[in-house]
Amino acid sequence: MNYRHAYHAGNFADVCKHVILTILLQHLRQKKPPFRVIDTHGGIGLYDLAAGPAAQTQEHLAGISRILEAAPHTSLPSAITDYLDIVGRHAPHYPGSPAIIRARLRDSDRLVACDLHPADGESLKRLFVGDKQVEIHIRDGYAALKAFLPPPEKRGLVLIDPPFEQTDEWDRLADTTLTAVTRWPTGLYALWYPVKDRPAIWRFHEKLAAFCPRPVFYAELTVHPETAHSRMYGTGMILINPPWQSDIAIEEALSALLPFLDIRGGSVKTGWLKQEEAKA
Ligand SMILES: C[S@@+](CC[C@H](N)C(=O)[O-])C[C@H]1O[C@@H](n2cnc3c(N)ncnc32)[C@H](O)[C@@H]1O
């Protein structure tokens, strides 16, 4: 396990992923019954952008730092201002997915997060020590997910945000999700993927469209045109069972982010891989 998210914290992919996460949390909060979020690949939860790995790579300069610089002079959709509110509350650090989720839990809601990396898992545990609404596990998030479903609250979100270090990650992500959906068909699922290897994305989309029994939506933002790239040039998210009209909010938010994140000739693409089947 070489991947450490601290090198990439606050980059353009984190911004898009975390804005989408904020939109999903807004929807979950609209209904009164409690919800649970399961974050299978949590990272360390809080990142110092001014020192250490993030300061070394400076990926945040083309991500959150650019948005923060522009925000005071720009009119932004509420999904982005809500996300920036969460980011601002964690300053001078940048919040990872568990911190963003925790910021939007009500007293009755719960977060369960995993990270397999021993040191990163310990950091995440320390961040939430004594917090009765949060459970942290240092274990394989894919294997743990099976044990966590269906959640007692019967509503909520599964976020799967793997590092894509291993060549079988696409299949593991798709297969684990398909099994999870059979155990908990009404859950909301958000799966992150890198835009780099287009044929791998086609195969991943095709598999989900063919075998997922529930509606599947995707959203991508690229920062370069779609030509051969050796590095990640875009960020993608699959949503299964997206809440009503969240597709519109996501398209609007990514389109508003694009002018700030774009490097040269990027674009936003969204669409349904599978829609709800009409009832007979
Ligand atoms: C992309 S980062 C997660 C970032 C985090 N979700 C966020 O948005 O702030 C992926 C994380 O997964 C962890 N990881 C790698 N393989 C794992 C596995 N099988 N189960 C759980 N965590 C894993 C890595 O240690 C890394 O911290």
Side-chain angles (χ1 to χ4, degrees), residues 47-245:
Y47 299 90
D48 187 349
L49 299 184
Q56 221 175 296
T57 58
Q58 300 205 325
E59 288 189 18
H60 66 91
L61 292 182
I64 185 59
S65 299
R66 227 181 248 172
I67 308 289
L68 287 173
E69 205 179 288
H73 326 288
T74 319
S75 161
L76 294 165
S78 66
I80 301 176
T81 53
D82 191 19
Y83 157 73
L84 292 178
D85 173 65
I86 300 173
V87 171
R89 285 167 194 267
H90 290 87
H93 294 93
Y94 180 76
S97 53
I100 291 173
I101 296 160
R102 181 65 186 93
R104 287 296 177 262
L105 294 187
R106 303 161 303 178
D107 289 349
S108 54
D109 306 324
R110 295 284 178 275
L111 163 65
V112 180
C114 296
D115 201 283
L116 184 59
H117 194 286
D120 286 3
E122 280 304 335
S123 300
L124 191 58
K125 267 197 170 172
R126 272 198 301 279
L127 187 62
F128 292 108
V129 72
D131 188 330
K132 291 195 166 51
Q133 287 178 252
V134 181
E135 224 179 82
I136 304 297
H137 300 266
I138 305 177
R139 62 181 286 198
D140 178 10
Y142 289 121
L145 185 58
K146 286 187 190 145
F148 295 150
L149 298 181
E153 291 82 1
K154 296 192 176 65
R155 60 187 296 264
L157 163 69
V158 173
L159 171 66
I160 311 184
D161 179 18
F164 282 85
E165 271 187 310
Q166 316 278 347
T167 49
D168 68 349
E169 195 91 68
W170 293 98
D171 282 331
R172 257 195 116 186
L173 177 57
D175 295 344
T176 304
T177 303
L178 291 169
T179 306
V181 173
T182 56
R183 289 178 85 95
W184 189 35
T186 54
L188 164 58
Y189 296 82
L191 324 176
W192 182 82
Y193 61 88
V195 178
K196 176 177 168 184
D197 175 357
R198 190 49 81 182
I201 296 173
W202 287 330
R203 287 192 293 273
F204 178 62
H205 281 192
E206 276 166 17
K207 193 171 193 177
L208 291 171
F211 297 109
C212 184
R214 306 291 305 162
V216 185
F217 177 76
Y218 78 94
E220 292 179 359
L221 179 146
T222 57
V223 296
H224 283 295
E226 298 254 339
T227 46
H229 287 276
S230 56
R231 299 183 63 172
M232 181 176 84
Y233 66 97
T235 169
M237 194 81 125
I238 287 282
L239 297 180
I240 297 173
N241 292 325
W244 189 62
Q245 293 197 329

